[in-house]
Amino acid sequence: MTSTTSSRASVAATPPWTYEFTAFEKERLARIDIMINGKVVDALALIVHRDFAEQRGRKLILKLKKAIPRHQFEIPLQVAIGGKIIARENIRAYRKGRHSQALRRRCHA
């Protein structure tokens, strides 16, 4: 038995449209820089339309906040456009528990 798509997929049709370069157009683009712990990470930089830059930046740092695990210290995530910080999230640090403090007091007493 043949699959249902094998007969349709074998027919090669040429597309009725063609792409041609006509001209360059000016657009309002902005470079979004992502800063982790105060340092710019070039690998996470984006170039987007200025109208959507803040939305894209906020979405990206929320995804990063979920992806990066918590540490012993707080990690700030920031989005900047041309040196101006437009969004900020913090990855919280682990808190010291009351039990660990009590154990420390007992051991050092």
PDB file of all heavy atoms in Angstrom, residues 30-35 48-59 61 77-89:
ATOM      1  N   ALA A  30      15.557  48.884  15.483  1.00  0.00           N
ATOM      2  CA  ALA A  30      16.303  49.113  16.720  1.00  0.00           C
ATOM      3  C   ALA A  30      17.017  47.831  17.102  1.00  0.00           C
ATOM      4  O   ALA A  30      16.529  46.726  16.857  1.00  0.00           O
ATOM      5  CB  ALA A  30      15.360  49.525  17.844  1.00  0.00           C
ATOM      6  N   ARG A  31      18.184  47.989  17.706  1.00  0.00           N
ATOM      7  CA  ARG A  31      18.933  46.843  18.204  1.00  0.00           C
ATOM      8  C   ARG A  31      18.601  46.676  19.680  1.00  0.00           C
ATOM      9  O   ARG A  31      18.744  47.610  20.476  1.00  0.00           O
ATOM     10  CB  ARG A  31      20.431  47.057  18.034  1.00  0.00           C
ATOM     11  CG  ARG A  31      21.251  45.920  18.606  1.00  0.00           C
ATOM     12  CD  ARG A  31      22.721  46.229  18.555  1.00  0.00           C
ATOM     13  NE  ARG A  31      23.429  45.393  19.495  1.00  0.00           N
ATOM     14  CZ  ARG A  31      24.480  44.674  19.182  1.00  0.00           C
ATOM     15  NH1 ARG A  31      24.968  44.720  17.960  1.00  0.00           N
ATOM     16  NH2 ARG A  31      25.072  43.934  20.079  1.00  0.00           N
ATOM     17  N   ILE A  32      18.166  45.493  20.043  1.00  0.00           N
ATOM     18  CA  ILE A  32      17.853  45.162  21.426  1.00  0.00           C
ATOM     19  C   ILE A  32      19.062  44.448  22.010  1.00  0.00           C
ATOM     20  O   ILE A  32      19.498  43.432  21.484  1.00  0.00           O
ATOM     21  CB  ILE A  32      16.627  44.237  21.519  1.00  0.00           C
ATOM     22  CG1 ILE A  32      15.379  44.944  21.012  1.00  0.00           C
ATOM     23  CG2 ILE A  32      16.426  43.748  22.932  1.00  0.00           C
ATOM     24  CD1 ILE A  32      14.168  44.063  21.009  1.00  0.00           C
ATOM     25  N   ASP A  33      19.603  44.987  23.095  1.00  0.00           N
ATOM     26  CA  ASP A  33      20.698  44.342  23.805  1.00  0.00           C
ATOM     27  C   ASP A  33      20.170  43.719  25.083  1.00  0.00           C
ATOM     28  O   ASP A  33      19.397  44.347  25.813  1.00  0.00           O
ATOM     29  CB  ASP A  33      21.796  45.348  24.155  1.00  0.00           C
ATOM     30  CG  ASP A  33      22.570  45.806  22.937  1.00  0.00           C
ATOM     31  OD1 ASP A  33      22.875  44.959  22.079  1.00  0.00           O
ATOM     32  OD2 ASP A  33      22.876  47.008  22.849  1.00  0.00           O
ATOM     33  N   ILE A  34      20.573  42.496  25.348  1.00  0.00           N
ATOM     34  CA  ILE A  34      20.194  41.801  26.568  1.00  0.00           C
ATOM     35  C   ILE A  34      21.397  41.839  27.505  1.00  0.00           C
ATOM     36  O   ILE A  34      22.502  41.475  27.121  1.00  0.00           O
ATOM     37  CB  ILE A  34      19.792  40.337  26.287  1.00  0.00           C
ATOM     38  CG1 ILE A  34      18.693  40.271  25.233  1.00  0.00           C
ATOM     39  CG2 ILE A  34      19.379  39.633  27.573  1.00  0.00           C
ATOM     40  CD1 ILE A  34      17.390  40.897  25.626  1.00  0.00           C
ATOM     41  N   MET A  35      21.155  42.300  28.718  1.00  0.00           N
ATOM     42  CA  MET A  35      22.219  42.375  29.717  1.00  0.00           C
ATOM     43  C   MET A  35      21.911  41.388  30.840  1.00  0.00           C
ATOM     44  O   MET A  35      20.812  41.401  31.401  1.00  0.00           O
ATOM     45  CB  MET A  35      22.322  43.791  30.269  1.00  0.00           C
ATOM     46  CG  MET A  35      22.713  44.802  29.227  1.00  0.00           C
ATOM     47  SD  MET A  35      22.516  46.543  29.689  1.00  0.00           S
ATOM     48  CE  MET A  35      23.277  46.635  31.255  1.00  0.00           C
ATOM     49  N   VAL A  48      15.023  44.511  15.588  1.00  0.00           N
ATOM     50  CA  VAL A  48      13.582  44.432  15.350  1.00  0.00           C
ATOM     51  C   VAL A  48      13.054  45.820  15.007  1.00  0.00           C
ATOM     52  O   VAL A  48      13.735  46.825  15.166  1.00  0.00           O
ATOM     53  CB  VAL A  48      12.831  43.880  16.586  1.00  0.00           C
ATOM     54  CG1 VAL A  48      13.235  42.460  16.885  1.00  0.00           C
ATOM     55  CG2 VAL A  48      13.048  44.756  17.784  1.00  0.00           C
ATOM     56  N   HIS A  49      11.816  45.855  14.554  1.00  0.00           N
ATOM     57  CA  HIS A  49      11.155  47.133  14.274  1.00  0.00           C
ATOM     58  C   HIS A  49      10.947  47.862  15.592  1.00  0.00           C
ATOM     59  O   HIS A  49      10.603  47.256  16.603  1.00  0.00           O
ATOM     60  CB  HIS A  49       9.820  46.889  13.571  1.00  0.00           C
ATOM     61  CG  HIS A  49       9.298  48.100  12.878  1.00  0.00           C
ATOM     62  ND1 HIS A  49       8.556  49.040  13.540  1.00  0.00           N
ATOM     63  CD2 HIS A  49       9.437  48.526  11.606  1.00  0.00           C
ATOM     64  CE1 HIS A  49       8.236  50.004  12.695  1.00  0.00           C
ATOM     65  NE2 HIS A  49       8.760  49.702  11.505  1.00  0.00           N
ATOM     66  N   ARG A  50      11.171  49.150  15.591  1.00  0.00           N
ATOM     67  CA  ARG A  50      11.114  49.932  16.835  1.00  0.00           C
ATOM     68  C   ARG A  50       9.740  49.848  17.505  1.00  0.00           C
ATOM     69  O   ARG A  50       9.632  49.884  18.727  1.00  0.00           O
ATOM     70  CB  ARG A  50      11.477  51.389  16.578  1.00  0.00           C
ATOM     71  CG  ARG A  50      11.617  52.175  17.868  1.00  0.00           C
ATOM     72  CD  ARG A  50      12.297  53.488  17.711  1.00  0.00           C
ATOM     73  NE  ARG A  50      13.685  53.430  17.331  1.00  0.00           N
ATOM     74  CZ  ARG A  50      14.700  53.284  18.187  1.00  0.00           C
ATOM     75  NH1 ARG A  50      14.466  53.123  19.460  1.00  0.00           N
ATOM     76  NH2 ARG A  50      15.934  53.291  17.763  1.00  0.00           N
ATOM     77  N   ASP A  51       8.671  49.717  16.725  1.00  0.00           N
ATOM     78  CA  ASP A  51       7.331  49.644  17.309  1.00  0.00           C
ATOM     79  C   ASP A  51       7.141  48.389  18.164  1.00  0.00           C
ATOM     80  O   ASP A  51       6.336  48.386  19.094  1.00  0.00           O
ATOM     81  CB  ASP A  51       6.267  49.666  16.209  1.00  0.00           C
ATOM     82  CG  ASP A  51       6.239  50.995  15.459  1.00  0.00           C
ATOM     83  OD1 ASP A  51       6.801  51.984  15.987  1.00  0.00           O
ATOM     84  OD2 ASP A  51       5.672  51.041  14.356  1.00  0.00           O
ATOM     85  N   PHE A  52       7.868  47.314  17.853  1.00  0.00           N
ATOM     86  CA  PHE A  52       7.698  46.051  18.566  1.00  0.00           C
ATOM     87  C   PHE A  52       8.882  45.728  19.465  1.00  0.00           C
ATOM     88  O   PHE A  52       8.943  44.653  20.056  1.00  0.00           O
ATOM     89  CB  PHE A  52       7.505  44.904  17.572  1.00  0.00           C
ATOM     90  CG  PHE A  52       6.386  45.144  16.611  1.00  0.00           C
ATOM     91  CD1 PHE A  52       6.639  45.370  15.268  1.00  0.00           C
ATOM     92  CD2 PHE A  52       5.073  45.175  17.043  1.00  0.00           C
ATOM     93  CE1 PHE A  52       5.614  45.605  14.382  1.00  0.00           C
ATOM     94  CE2 PHE A  52       4.043  45.407  16.167  1.00  0.00           C
ATOM     95  CZ  PHE A  52       4.304  45.625  14.822  1.00  0.00           C
ATOM     96  N   ALA A  53       9.829  46.636  19.608  1.00  0.00           N
ATOM     97  CA  ALA A  53      11.066  46.355  20.339  1.00  0.00           C
ATOM     98  C   ALA A  53      10.809  46.071  21.819  1.00  0.00           C
ATOM     99  O   ALA A  53      11.347  45.116  22.374  1.00  0.00           O
ATOM    100  CB  ALA A  53      12.033  47.518  20.185  1.00  0.00           C
ATOM    101  N   GLU A  54       9.988  46.881  22.458  1.00  0.00           N
ATOM    102  CA  GLU A  54       9.751  46.695  23.893  1.00  0.00           C
ATOM    103  C   GLU A  54       9.036  45.371  24.164  1.00  0.00           C
ATOM    104  O   GLU A  54       9.401  44.637  25.083  1.00  0.00           O
ATOM    105  CB  GLU A  54       8.934  47.857  24.449  1.00  0.00           C
ATOM    106  CG  GLU A  54       8.862  47.856  25.951  1.00  0.00           C
ATOM    107  CD  GLU A  54       8.254  49.136  26.500  1.00  0.00           C
ATOM    108  OE1 GLU A  54       8.197  50.137  25.767  1.00  0.00           O
ATOM    109  OE2 GLU A  54       7.846  49.106  27.670  1.00  0.00           O
ATOM    110  N   GLN A  55       8.044  45.041  23.343  1.00  0.00           N
ATOM    111  CA  GLN A  55       7.320  43.782  23.515  1.00  0.00           C
ATOM    112  C   GLN A  55       8.251  42.586  23.351  1.00  0.00           C
ATOM    113  O   GLN A  55       8.227  41.653  24.155  1.00  0.00           O
ATOM    114  CB  GLN A  55       6.198  43.663  22.490  1.00  0.00           C
ATOM    115  CG  GLN A  55       5.045  44.596  22.709  1.00  0.00           C
ATOM    116  CD  GLN A  55       4.060  44.522  21.553  1.00  0.00           C
ATOM    117  OE1 GLN A  55       4.461  44.415  20.401  1.00  0.00           O
ATOM    118  NE2 GLN A  55       2.785  44.566  21.877  1.00  0.00           N
ATOM    119  N   ARG A  56       9.060  42.604  22.299  1.00  0.00           N
ATOM    120  CA  ARG A  56       9.978  41.485  22.040  1.00  0.00           C
ATOM    121  C   ARG A  56      11.001  41.351  23.164  1.00  0.00           C
ATOM    122  O   ARG A  56      11.334  40.247  23.584  1.00  0.00           O
ATOM    123  CB  ARG A  56      10.707  41.675  20.712  1.00  0.00           C
ATOM    124  CG  ARG A  56       9.858  41.553  19.471  1.00  0.00           C
ATOM    125  CD  ARG A  56       9.478  40.114  19.165  1.00  0.00           C
ATOM    126  NE  ARG A  56      10.608  39.223  19.013  1.00  0.00           N
ATOM    127  CZ  ARG A  56      11.195  38.917  17.868  1.00  0.00           C
ATOM    128  NH1 ARG A  56      10.768  39.449  16.750  1.00  0.00           N
ATOM    129  NH2 ARG A  56      12.207  38.076  17.843  1.00  0.00           N
ATOM    130  N   GLY A  57      11.501  42.470  23.650  1.00  0.00           N
ATOM    131  CA  GLY A  57      12.470  42.442  24.735  1.00  0.00           C
ATOM    132  C   GLY A  57      11.890  41.865  26.007  1.00  0.00           C
ATOM    133  O   GLY A  57      12.515  41.041  26.680  1.00  0.00           O
ATOM    134  N   ARG A  58      10.682  42.292  26.359  1.00  0.00           N
ATOM    135  CA  ARG A  58      10.026  41.777  27.569  1.00  0.00           C
ATOM    136  C   ARG A  58       9.764  40.274  27.458  1.00  0.00           C
ATOM    137  O   ARG A  58       9.963  39.524  28.408  1.00  0.00           O
ATOM    138  CB  ARG A  58       8.720  42.508  27.828  1.00  0.00           C
ATOM    139  CG  ARG A  58       8.924  43.901  28.349  1.00  0.00           C
ATOM    140  CD  ARG A  58       7.616  44.544  28.789  1.00  0.00           C
ATOM    141  NE  ARG A  58       7.800  45.947  29.050  1.00  0.00           N
ATOM    142  CZ  ARG A  58       8.291  46.413  30.193  1.00  0.00           C
ATOM    143  NH1 ARG A  58       8.649  45.591  31.153  1.00  0.00           N
ATOM    144  NH2 ARG A  58       8.434  47.710  30.370  1.00  0.00           N
ATOM    145  N   LYS A  59       9.306  39.828  26.284  1.00  0.00           N
ATOM    146  CA  LYS A  59       9.060  38.400  26.069  1.00  0.00           C
ATOM    147  C   LYS A  59      10.337  37.593  26.246  1.00  0.00           C
ATOM    148  O   LYS A  59      10.339  36.532  26.862  1.00  0.00           O
ATOM    149  CB  LYS A  59       8.517  38.168  24.658  1.00  0.00           C
ATOM    150  CG  LYS A  59       7.066  37.915  24.571  1.00  0.00           C
ATOM    151  CD  LYS A  59       6.727  37.514  23.157  1.00  0.00           C
ATOM    152  CE  LYS A  59       5.255  37.596  22.934  1.00  0.00           C
ATOM    153  NZ  LYS A  59       4.883  37.277  21.570  1.00  0.00           N
ATOM    154  N   ILE A  61      13.164  38.341  27.942  1.00  0.00           N
ATOM    155  CA  ILE A  61      13.712  38.208  29.294  1.00  0.00           C
ATOM    156  C   ILE A  61      12.810  37.365  30.195  1.00  0.00           C
ATOM    157  O   ILE A  61      13.294  36.740  31.124  1.00  0.00           O
ATOM    158  CB  ILE A  61      14.045  39.562  29.961  1.00  0.00           C
ATOM    159  CG1 ILE A  61      12.839  40.438  30.136  1.00  0.00           C
ATOM    160  CG2 ILE A  61      15.161  40.262  29.257  1.00  0.00           C
ATOM    161  CD1 ILE A  61      13.108  41.635  31.027  1.00  0.00           C
ATOM    162  N   LEU A  77      18.302  40.694  34.939  1.00  0.00           N
ATOM    163  CA  LEU A  77      18.185  40.598  33.485  1.00  0.00           C
ATOM    164  C   LEU A  77      17.617  41.920  32.997  1.00  0.00           C
ATOM    165  O   LEU A  77      16.590  42.373  33.497  1.00  0.00           O
ATOM    166  CB  LEU A  77      17.249  39.458  33.086  1.00  0.00           C
ATOM    167  CG  LEU A  77      17.584  38.062  33.592  1.00  0.00           C
ATOM    168  CD1 LEU A  77      16.460  37.105  33.249  1.00  0.00           C
ATOM    169  CD2 LEU A  77      18.879  37.586  32.996  1.00  0.00           C
ATOM    170  N   GLN A  78      18.270  42.539  32.017  1.00  0.00           N
ATOM    171  CA  GLN A  78      17.817  43.836  31.521  1.00  0.00           C
ATOM    172  C   GLN A  78      17.785  43.846  30.001  1.00  0.00           C
ATOM    173  O   GLN A  78      18.581  43.184  29.350  1.00  0.00           O
ATOM    174  CB  GLN A  78      18.752  44.940  32.016  1.00  0.00           C
ATOM    175  CG  GLN A  78      18.779  45.082  33.508  1.00  0.00           C
ATOM    176  CD  GLN A  78      19.845  46.037  33.973  1.00  0.00           C
ATOM    177  OE1 GLN A  78      20.913  46.118  33.383  1.00  0.00           O
ATOM    178  NE2 GLN A  78      19.559  46.767  35.031  1.00  0.00           N
ATOM    179  N   VAL A  79      16.856  44.640  29.465  1.00  0.00           N
ATOM    180  CA  VAL A  79      16.762  44.868  28.019  1.00  0.00           C
ATOM    181  C   VAL A  79      17.074  46.336  27.772  1.00  0.00           C
ATOM    182  O   VAL A  79      16.497  47.207  28.407  1.00  0.00           O
ATOM    183  CB  VAL A  79      15.344  44.540  27.488  1.00  0.00           C
ATOM    184  CG1 VAL A  79      15.250  44.815  26.016  1.00  0.00           C
ATOM    185  CG2 VAL A  79      14.984  43.110  27.785  1.00  0.00           C
ATOM    186  N   ALA A  80      17.995  46.601  26.844  1.00  0.00           N
ATOM    187  CA  ALA A  80      18.381  47.979  26.556  1.00  0.00           C
ATOM    188  C   ALA A  80      18.296  48.236  25.056  1.00  0.00           C
ATOM    189  O   ALA A  80      18.589  47.369  24.243  1.00  0.00           O
ATOM    190  CB  ALA A  80      19.801  48.246  27.036  1.00  0.00           C
ATOM    191  N   ILE A  81      17.854  49.452  24.726  1.00  0.00           N
ATOM    192  CA  ILE A  81      17.861  49.920  23.341  1.00  0.00           C
ATOM    193  C   ILE A  81      18.691  51.189  23.332  1.00  0.00           C
ATOM    194  O   ILE A  81      18.295  52.201  23.905  1.00  0.00           O
ATOM    195  CB  ILE A  81      16.447  50.210  22.821  1.00  0.00           C
ATOM    196  CG1 ILE A  81      15.620  48.937  22.798  1.00  0.00           C
ATOM    197  CG2 ILE A  81      16.509  50.811  21.425  1.00  0.00           C
ATOM    198  CD1 ILE A  81      14.202  49.140  22.367  1.00  0.00           C
ATOM    199  N   GLY A  82      19.852  51.126  22.711  1.00  0.00           N
ATOM    200  CA  GLY A  82      20.714  52.288  22.625  1.00  0.00           C
ATOM    201  C   GLY A  82      21.147  52.829  23.977  1.00  0.00           C
ATOM    202  O   GLY A  82      21.220  54.028  24.169  1.00  0.00           O
ATOM    203  N   GLY A  83      21.404  51.972  24.935  1.00  0.00           N
ATOM    204  CA  GLY A  83      21.844  52.412  26.250  1.00  0.00           C
ATOM    205  C   GLY A  83      20.716  52.720  27.216  1.00  0.00           C
ATOM    206  O   GLY A  83      20.948  52.906  28.400  1.00  0.00           O
ATOM    207  N   LYS A  84      19.482  52.788  26.737  1.00  0.00           N
ATOM    208  CA  LYS A  84      18.332  53.066  27.604  1.00  0.00           C
ATOM    209  C   LYS A  84      17.677  51.741  27.988  1.00  0.00           C
ATOM    210  O   LYS A  84      17.254  50.971  27.123  1.00  0.00           O
ATOM    211  CB  LYS A  84      17.330  53.952  26.870  1.00  0.00           C
ATOM    212  CG  LYS A  84      16.117  54.290  27.686  1.00  0.00           C
ATOM    213  CD  LYS A  84      15.128  55.112  26.877  1.00  0.00           C
ATOM    214  CE  LYS A  84      13.867  55.343  27.682  1.00  0.00           C
ATOM    215  NZ  LYS A  84      12.818  55.943  26.862  1.00  0.00           N
ATOM    216  N   ILE A  85      17.597  51.482  29.292  1.00  0.00           N
ATOM    217  CA  ILE A  85      17.016  50.229  29.773  1.00  0.00           C
ATOM    218  C   ILE A  85      15.500  50.345  29.723  1.00  0.00           C
ATOM    219  O   ILE A  85      14.911  51.257  30.300  1.00  0.00           O
ATOM    220  CB  ILE A  85      17.514  49.899  31.183  1.00  0.00           C
ATOM    221  CG1 ILE A  85      19.017  49.655  31.119  1.00  0.00           C
ATOM    222  CG2 ILE A  85      16.783  48.697  31.748  1.00  0.00           C
ATOM    223  CD1 ILE A  85      19.672  49.412  32.420  1.00  0.00           C
ATOM    224  N   ILE A  86      14.865  49.402  29.010  1.00  0.00           N
ATOM    225  CA  ILE A  86      13.410  49.468  28.841  1.00  0.00           C
ATOM    226  C   ILE A  86      12.676  48.401  29.640  1.00  0.00           C
ATOM    227  O   ILE A  86      11.472  48.501  29.839  1.00  0.00           O
ATOM    228  CB  ILE A  86      13.015  49.370  27.352  1.00  0.00           C
ATOM    229  CG1 ILE A  86      13.522  48.081  26.745  1.00  0.00           C
ATOM    230  CG2 ILE A  86      13.511  50.570  26.586  1.00  0.00           C
ATOM    231  CD1 ILE A  86      12.919  47.786  25.399  1.00  0.00           C
ATOM    232  N   ALA A  87      13.384  47.348  30.081  1.00  0.00           N
ATOM    233  CA  ALA A  87      12.727  46.298  30.859  1.00  0.00           C
ATOM    234  C   ALA A  87      13.752  45.647  31.781  1.00  0.00           C
ATOM    235  O   ALA A  87      14.935  45.594  31.458  1.00  0.00           O
ATOM    236  CB  ALA A  87      12.111  45.251  29.938  1.00  0.00           C
ATOM    237  N   ARG A  88      13.259  45.164  32.917  1.00  0.00           N
ATOM    238  CA  ARG A  88      14.149  44.515  33.884  1.00  0.00           C
ATOM    239  C   ARG A  88      13.394  43.421  34.615  1.00  0.00           C
ATOM    240  O   ARG A  88      12.236  43.598  34.994  1.00  0.00           O
ATOM    241  CB  ARG A  88      14.673  45.536  34.883  1.00  0.00           C
ATOM    242  CG  ARG A  88      15.574  44.928  35.943  1.00  0.00           C
ATOM    243  CD  ARG A  88      15.953  45.951  36.990  1.00  0.00           C
ATOM    244  NE  ARG A  88      16.619  45.307  38.104  1.00  0.00           N
ATOM    245  CZ  ARG A  88      17.924  45.369  38.333  1.00  0.00           C
ATOM    246  NH1 ARG A  88      18.692  46.057  37.514  1.00  0.00           N
ATOM    247  NH2 ARG A  88      18.447  44.754  39.358  1.00  0.00           N
ATOM    248  N   GLU A  89      14.048  42.299  34.796  1.00  0.00           N
ATOM    249  CA  GLU A  89      13.544  41.202  35.612  1.00  0.00           C
ATOM    250  C   GLU A  89      14.697  40.726  36.478  1.00  0.00           C
ATOM    251  O   GLU A  89      15.857  40.875  36.103  1.00  0.00           O
ATOM    252  CB  GLU A  89      13.062  40.034  34.739  1.00  0.00           C
ATOM    253  CG  GLU A  89      11.782  40.290  33.997  1.00  0.00           C
ATOM    254  CD  GLU A  89      10.555  40.289  34.893  1.00  0.00           C
ATOM    255  OE1 GLU A  89      10.559  39.596  35.927  1.00  0.00           O
ATOM    256  OE2 GLU A  89       9.601  40.998  34.562  1.00  0.00           O
TER     257      GLU A  89
END
